[in-house]
Amino acid sequence: IAETDIIGELLRQRLEGYELVARGGVSLFASVDRPSAGQWQGYVDALNISERYPDMLGLGYAPYLDRSELQALQLEMRDAGQGFYVVRPGGVRGHYGPVVYLEPRTPANREEIGRDMFAEPERHETMARARDENAVRMTGPVRLDARTGQQVAGVVMYAPVYRFGTPATPSARRAALQGW
């Protein structure tokens, strides 16, 4: 077996592990309509990703929202004592995919809360493919904040979360999408 085959197999296994972690988060949403921040934190803490998946910077959730749903989320978060939830970049768009949960709560991950990934072309494309294909999809290289606070190149995996099970067609998936 060639060394490149071994490296390729190890990479495939690692990516499958990351996909399983993301699918576990999707399963949490299947069991609880929308987990609280504490429930999400408990799920991620139990995974112990910093030791088991040291290359994973975080595990998060971004809802798929229209303008009125975004406003309702902002009010809900404020009323829950979480302060004013600001989505970046600002501006009016048809749909949003802002980070609501991201664990572990490192300083770099806290800075990502409110980032509308659906407003970024490459992430938007990957999120839309994951939604339409009902599959975990991964971006090409994007800029990420590392645990050290430095910018690094990385990838982001998106696993779609649907309301009411898994719709059969892409148009039904668009209508039932809860987030990623």
Side-chain angles (χ1 to χ4, degrees):
I1 296 178
E3 187 174 343
T4 55
D5 291 339
I6 294 170
I7 292 169
E9 178 60 20
L10 290 172
L11 179 60
R12 186 191 63 73
Q13 289 175 11
R14 182 168 290 186
L15 291 173
E16 280 182 0
Y18 293 155
E19 182 175 337
L20 286 173
V21 169
R23 288 187 184 277
V26 171
S27 295
L28 178 60
F29 277 84
S31 65
V32 178
D33 184 38
R34 188 167 126 228
S36 68
Q39 289 169 318
W40 186 258
Q41 183 181 17
Y43 168 69
V44 176
D45 286 351
L47 291 172
N48 196 14
I49 63 173
S50 61
E51 288 186 29
R52 290 188 178 147
Y53 305 95
D55 296 325
M56 185 182 285
L57 297 179
L59 184 63
Y61 173 69
Y64 181 64
L65 306 168
D66 64 23
R67 283 180 250 165
S68 65
E69 291 168 324
L70 176 61
Q71 291 171 343
L73 175 67
Q74 289 172 316
L75 292 173
E76 178 185 318
M77 291 179 78
R78 185 192 68 197
D79 292 346
Q82 297 179 30
F84 188 68
Y85 180 68
V86 178
V87 173
R88 303 172 318 277
V92 176
R93 294 180 282 285
H95 286 93
Y96 301 82
V99 177
V100 173
Y101 304 145
L102 187 56
E103 298 290 339
R105 291 187 186 172
T106 63
N109 283 352
R110 279 193 293 272
E111 287 295 316
E112 292 297 303
I113 301 298
R115 179 184 189 156
D116 183 4
M117 297 180 291
F118 208 59
E120 300 174 28
E122 180 165 359
R123 293 179 195 217
H124 179 106
E125 178 186 329
T126 304
M127 294 165 89
R129 280 189 312 121
R131 172 198 65 204
D132 294 347
E133 297 169 8
N134 182 31
V136 176
R137 293 292 177 243
M138 185 171 56
T139 66
V142 294
R143 302 296 290 168
L144 303 171
D145 285 327
R147 290 187 177 109
T148 62
Q150 297 174 331
Q151 292 281 314
V152 296
V155 296
V156 180
M157 279 188 170
Y158 294 100
V161 176
Y162 301 103
R163 295 175 194 84
F164 322 118
T166 305
T169 65
S171 62
R173 291 181 197 128
R174 287 183 196 107
L177 185 69
Q178 185 173 344
W180 300 267

